Amino acid sequence: MDALRVTKVEGVLCTKGGSTSFATLHLTAHHAIFHYDEEGKEEMWVPYPLISLVSRMPMTLQGQFPLTIHTRTFETMFVLFVTEKDATDVFESVKELTVATSVAQLYAFFYVPNPPFAVSNGWSVYTPREEFLRMGVGTRSKAWRFTDINKDYSVRSRLTPDVVRSCLMT
């Protein structure tokens, strides 16, 4: 992808929620992944649409180059880089990847499960008659009943063949 100037930066210092750890930052087409160097600490995946603001700060007194990442879930992460080039490349990459110009660029349209989901007929997943029976129509109360008035779609073309109607209707 053209927006990715760098895909892996090692030795970044990540601070989030009062906890500071060294990590390796991986940038993919859809996520920023922080893989912590500490044993037992889970890696942190940040999807780009979740990022609301990325700020580049001036060099610290220790000679590190910070980025501040604010998410839409009101979390803030401070990421410190050893070189200015890494900080600039990550900043520009994240800045470009957080703005999707089309819905088709989102992760949901690229995800391929492993193993793939079983292929099934989507029309058989939901049957209105079974759902109405589950809710007690025609069994718990006699106020509602099924009718087959639309069984050949002659009354309404967009209405299902299983229609529930009030018993008060004639």
Side-chain angles (χ1 to χ4, degrees):
M1 183 171 240
D2 295 335
L4 287 173
R5 294 181 179 205
V6 64
T7 57
K8 181 179 180 181
V9 181
E10 294 181 347
V12 299
L13 192 62
C14 179
T15 302
K16 179 186 170 201
S19 173
T20 302
S21 299
F22 280 98
T24 300
L25 173 63
H26 299 274
L27 296 179
T28 67
H30 302 284
H31 295 87
I33 304 165
F34 293 90
H35 182 77
Y36 294 105
D37 295 343
E38 295 176 18
E39 285 294 321
K41 193 163 184 180
E42 261 186 48
E43 61 186 16
M44 178 175 53
W45 289 55
V46 182
Y48 295 126
L50 199 64
I51 296 173
S52 62
L53 177 67
V54 179
S55 304
R56 221 174 124 203
M57 311 300 273
M59 183 175 73
T60 64
L61 294 174
Q62 292 80 21
Q64 296 172 322
F65 301 89
L67 289 184
T68 305
I69 301 172
H70 298 276
T71 66
R72 296 182 195 283
T73 57
F74 305 107
E75 295 175 308
T76 302
M77 290 169 270
F78 300 99
V79 186
L80 296 168
F81 296 89
V82 178
T83 65
E84 185 176 16
K85 181 185 181 326
D86 287 340
T88 304
D89 288 345
V90 169
F91 175 75
E92 293 297 329
S93 297
V94 171
K95 187 174 77 170
E96 286 184 41
L97 291 167
T98 53
V99 180
T101 56
S102 165
V103 175
Q105 292 178 333
L106 296 176
Y107 182 63
F109 297 98
F110 288 89
Y111 177 70
V112 178
N114 189 13
F117 295 128
V119 178
S120 65
N121 180 5
W123 294 106
S124 64
V125 172
Y126 172 82
T127 57
R129 184 174 290 269
E130 286 179 17
E131 277 300 304
F132 283 122
L133 286 172
R134 184 185 64 79
M135 291 185 271
V137 172
T139 57
R140 294 186 205 153
S141 162
K142 299 300 177 196
W144 297 90
R145 71 182 183 103
F146 288 101
T147 180
D148 60 354
I149 192 168
N150 201 39
K151 68 179 177 191
D152 57 356
Y153 296 97
S154 60
V155 176
R156 291 276 180 167
S157 61
R158 295 186 181 146
L159 197 60
T160 63
D162 297 322
V163 178
V164 175
R165 70 169 185 89
S166 169
C167 287
L168 300 176
M169 287 177 54
T170 56

